[in-house]
Amino acid sequence: EATNLFIISSTILGLIYGVFNILMITKVPVGESGDYHRNDPRYLKEIIGMKTERVEKKNKRTGEVEWVDEEMGPYHENWDQVVYTLNRISHAVSDGATAFLMEEYRILAFFIAIFSVIIAVLVEEEIGQFWTVFAFVLGAATSICSGYIGMRVAVFSNSRTAYSAINRENGLANAFIVAFRGGAVLGFILNSLGLLNLLLLITAYNYLYLGEDYESEQVRHMYECIAGYGLGGSTIAMFGRVGGGIFTKAADVGADLAGKVEEGLEEDDPRNAATIADNVGDNVGDIAGMGSDLFGSFAESSCAALVVAATSVELTETMCSLYFPLLISATGIVVSFFTSFFATNIMKVDSEDKIERTLKYQLLISTILLTPALYFLAMNVLPEDFTFVRGDEVIETHSIHAFICIAFGLWSGLIIGYVTEYFTSFAYTPVKEVAESCRTGAATDIIYGLALGYLSCIIPTLCLAATIYASFYLASMYGIALAALGMLSNLALALAIDGYGPISDNAGGMVEMIHLKKEVRQRTDALDAAGNTTAAIGKGFAIGSAALVSLALFGAFITRSNMTEVNILAPLQFAGLLVGAMLPYAFSALTMKSVGKAANQMVVEVRRQFQEMKR
């Protein structure tokens, strides 16, 4: 009862905190209603941008005729027009994101229905049972619900972030807090809702599937059925990440080619129709898509750890020991909750150099706090010695070994995040070197950037290799699943700083589209630059955790199938390795081709609209 109470309490805390952040964002008005922003009317009039027109003028000194940009008057007659335009753009982004996700979810509904039939026929013990099917559908529904909520809050937050950045004295700090709260909604609601639904699923199956009298083999089979929850989450992740990613990159490429390259327009110029599509893509790809991706990793690693734990006699003797994987995530939610106050209440972002530092400290502080918390949890929840049975082999491990596995995953995640930040932040040498290489043309820039991208893989790969080796050596496949959960233990914050990125990116685009002067855009550019780095950190977490999760799932499979070893030098296995090595290239080619097709259609449509405007 105490175990269930702690898990439920932590999830409710996370959900309440998510709702609290939504309420705090709703208090931020888009406009000067009330005394919230307290902007001087004269200052607001000053920052309205001026229309310019290229005209021929004779240079008085040289006598030559030159083309110059001449100011023709302000873009807006009054501030109410600025607010109206900002709201109109925000609604367009919101409508576009909703339309995309509704279409994507409509296709997903057919896929889920078909795949559920396949599971019912091939996986269930008997025709007419739906234990795995229900878990699969619940995992998919949880991922869809969490991603949609995150997207709605993100598109609701972007205009408020943009308007908060207008304030001369506190614009940077206020806009940062709004964007961070928007990301925190995604992180805490997704993590809490995913953990709560998994616990409710296990509790329901304990009563409906096991009943009062049951054998240990029934427990193991029950957790195999519950593993469908992770499969459902991964299904949505596949569609959300790939579908949303193709859309956002196609819109980005289309906007740049048709608007910036061909027409010579500025970034996020409102005359370029693809800029709205670009902002929509940020929300459906980097918010809903990334949320689904990391939810799939969290659900799969939790289910894999539970499947392996069910094979241990010592762990199944008490509920708290068996539920240890869920307790890791619950502890992570609580620690992430307290850590988030460093960003919103303790560390004031009053200068551009503090933005990235504050976001980076979220990972560092949560990792430091989680280390003793998870040590205490492992020492008090797990039995001092416990064993796993795989075939004829008995694997013995200890509670301290379990903690070391978690710590390896936790700190590897931090190192991967920091290495990603080093290679993608404008504050460090790699990005500056790439910028410097632009002086000699696009070719050298692409070569140098690609080289740095490959170079950035070295340290994360070594971290994953060390984590896999230590975890497998200390606790076999259970250790690898715990390492994956350790890396994802501060998932709420990882998603919060990842969601911050597209919100601040959208805000910067909106400031450009409503034609405010550069001093406001400088603030949103600073937020956006840090957001690009945090988005890369989120991708690093997703890739690192996916590597551990895939191995954990493989471990759950060989544990339940009683396989003791896999001979990779056997003909079939060796051939399979080559095919597996080829698959990433095949999928990359397919996705890149899809981006090319969609971008081509985007360019054609934008060109058509430009021709109509010129007429």
Side-chain angles (χ1 to χ4, degrees):
E1 291 182 1
T3 301
N4 283 339
L5 181 62
F6 175 69
I7 297 173
I8 292 173
S9 299
S10 67
T11 56
I12 291 175
L13 174 67
L15 291 172
I16 291 175
Y17 187 57
V19 173
F20 169 78
N21 280 310
I22 293 175
L23 294 176
M24 293 299 292
I25 294 170
T26 57
K27 289 184 178 180
V28 180
V30 180
E32 292 301 313
S33 57
D35 297 327
Y36 188 90
H37 296 289
R38 297 181 179 178
N39 291 310
D40 186 352
R42 291 173 297 178
Y43 165 69
L44 295 179
K45 189 175 181 180
E46 290 172 4
I47 61 174
I48 297 176
M50 303 295 290
K51 295 179 183 177
T52 59
E53 188 175 309
R54 292 186 69 81
V55 297
E56 288 184 346
K57 276 197 173 182
K58 189 174 183 180
N59 190 311
K60 294 181 180 179
R61 186 169 57 84
T62 63
E64 296 180 355
V65 177
E66 299 174 345
W67 286 95
V68 296
D69 292 328
E70 187 173 282
E71 292 187 352
M72 308 300 293
Y75 273 100
H76 305 284
E77 296 179 1
N78 53 60
W79 191 251
D80 288 339
Q81 288 186 1
V82 175
V83 175
Y84 170 77
T85 306
L86 179 58
N87 280 316
R88 186 181 174 190
I89 294 169
S90 177
H91 290 152
V93 174
S94 177
D95 292 344
T98 302
F100 177 88
L101 286 184
M102 288 298 103
E103 186 63 30
E104 183 179 69
Y105 293 159
R106 192 176 294 113
I107 297 170
L108 269 172
F110 285 106
F111 180 85
I112 291 170
I114 295 170
F115 208 72
S116 296
V117 174
I118 295 173
I119 293 173
V121 174
L122 300 180
V123 178
E124 301 289 2
E125 272 190 312
E126 298 177 7
I127 299 296
Q129 291 184 346
F130 300 100
W131 301 108
T132 308
V133 170
F134 181 77
F136 168 75
V137 173
L138 180 62
T142 304
S143 182
I144 288 174
C145 181
S146 302
Y148 185 77
I149 292 172
M151 181 278 294
R152 293 299 304 170
V153 173
V155 297
F156 183 75
S157 303
N158 49 29
S159 59
R160 284 157 176 77
T161 302
Y163 200 89
S164 297
I166 290 171
N167 189 274
R168 177 177 283 170
E169 289 79 19
N170 301 309
L172 195 66
N174 293 342
F176 172 82
I177 291 175
V178 174
F180 182 82
R181 289 193 186 279
V185 173
L186 171 68
F188 281 91
I189 286 185
L190 184 144
N191 200 0
S192 301
L193 193 60
L195 180 58
L196 179 62
N197 283 350
L198 180 56
L199 177 65
L200 294 176
L201 180 67
I202 295 171
T203 304
Y205 277 28
N206 278 329
Y207 287 102
L208 300 175
Y209 186 90
L210 295 180
E212 295 182 359
D213 298 322
Y214 54 87
E215 298 177 356
S216 58
E217 185 60 29
Q218 287 180 280
V219 177
R220 294 167 188 171
H221 190 267
M222 183 192 79
Y223 283 105
E224 287 181 11
C225 296
I226 289 172
Y229 184 79
L231 179 62
S234 296
T235 300
I236 305 304
M238 178 178 65
F239 281 88
R241 201 74 185 97
V242 175
I246 289 172
F247 180 91
T248 185
K249 293 309 171 189
D252 200 356
V253 171
D256 287 347
L257 286 178
K260 293 168 67 175
V261 176
E262 294 183 0
E263 298 293 332
L265 302 177
E266 293 290 332
E267 181 87 16
D268 294 314
D269 191 294
R271 289 169 291 179
N272 185 353
T275 56
I276 295 296
D278 188 13
N279 287 343
V280 169
D282 290 336
N283 290 287
V284 299
D286 291 336
I287 294 287
M290 178 59 78
S292 298
D293 191 355
L294 286 173
F295 171 79
S297 296
F298 155 74
E300 285 179 330
S301 57
S302 300
C303 293
L306 289 168
V307 169
V308 178
T311 65
S312 171
V313 176
E314 294 83 2
L315 293 182
T316 54
E317 287 178 351
T318 59
M319 181 184 292
C320 60
S321 299
L322 186 58
Y323 285 9
F324 180 64
L326 305 186
L327 290 169
I328 294 173
S329 300
T331 304
I333 292 173
V334 175
V335 171
S336 298
F337 168 75
F338 288 108
T339 305
S340 66
F341 287 101
F342 282 90
T344 57
N345 297 86
I346 297 175
M347 301 176 70
K348 184 175 175 61
V349 180
D350 51 9
S351 60
E352 294 181 5
D353 61 307
K354 292 183 179 179
I355 301 172
E356 201 168 300
R357 189 190 314 164
T358 302
L359 294 170
K360 187 168 62 174
Y361 281 172
Q362 291 292 295
L363 293 178
L364 178 62
I365 294 169
S366 63
T367 300
I368 292 173
L369 294 178
L370 273 167
T371 302
L374 294 175
Y375 174 80
F376 176 82
L377 189 70
M379 293 299 102
N380 288 275
V381 170
L382 294 175
E384 186 176 352
D385 304 300
F386 51 99
T387 59
F388 298 97
V389 178
R390 191 171 70 229
D392 298 329
E393 185 182 4
V394 177
I395 302 165
E396 184 178 352
T397 188
H398 312 283
S399 56
I400 186 63
H401 290 171
F403 165 72
I404 293 173
C405 296
I406 299 169
F408 260 98
L410 177 64
W411 285 91
S412 291
L414 178 69
I415 294 170
I416 290 172
Y418 271 46
V419 169
T420 305
E421 187 237 1
Y422 173 75
F423 277 95
T424 56
S425 171
F426 65 93
Y428 299 110
T429 305
V431 171
K432 292 179 180 178
E433 290 179 345
V434 173
E436 187 66 26
S437 68
C438 294
R439 295 181 181 274
T440 53
T444 53
D445 180 42
I446 293 171
I447 293 169
Y448 205 94
L450 194 59
L452 283 177
Y454 289 147
L455 193 64
S456 69
C457 299
I458 296 175
I459 294 178
T461 302
L462 293 176
C463 287
L464 290 173
T467 300
I468 291 169
Y469 174 81
S471 301
F472 189 79
Y473 180 79
L474 293 173
S476 188
M477 288 301 180
Y478 187 62
I480 293 175
L482 292 182
L485 285 169
M487 186 175 288
L488 293 169
S489 57
N490 52 1
L491 175 62
L493 283 179
L495 279 171
I497 65 173
D498 183 73
Y500 159 89
I503 292 174
S504 56
D505 187 5
N506 274 205
M510 288 178 177
V511 168
E512 179 75 22
M513 283 187 268
I514 60 177
H515 297 293
L516 297 185
K517 289 187 176 177
K518 289 188 176 180
E519 63 178 278
V520 181
R521 182 66 201 243
Q522 285 174 352
R523 299 187 197 111
T524 56
D525 280 348
L527 295 168
D528 183 20
N532 290 330
T533 300
T534 60
I537 291 174
K539 292 178 176 65
F541 263 92
I543 295 167
S545 62
L548 292 177
V549 167
S550 60
L551 193 54
L553 289 171
F554 177 71
F557 168 74
I558 66 170
T559 299
R560 289 296 292 128
S561 60
N562 293 323
M563 293 175 62
T564 56
E565 63 179 20
V566 177
N567 183 9
I568 64 171
L569 295 179
L572 182 62
Q573 284 85 331
F574 192 80
L577 284 175
L578 294 179
V579 174
M582 170 272 296
L583 287 178
Y585 295 96
F587 286 126
S588 297
L590 291 172
T591 51
M592 290 173 69
K593 192 174 180 180
S594 297
V595 170
K597 286 181 178 180
N600 181 63
Q601 294 177 0
M602 186 77 70
V603 170
V604 170
E605 174 60 23
V606 174
R607 284 174 179 168
R608 183 190 66 79
Q609 294 191 25
F610 275 133
Q611 291 300 320
E612 287 185 357
M613 285 191 289
K614 288 176 182 177
R615 292 196 202 105

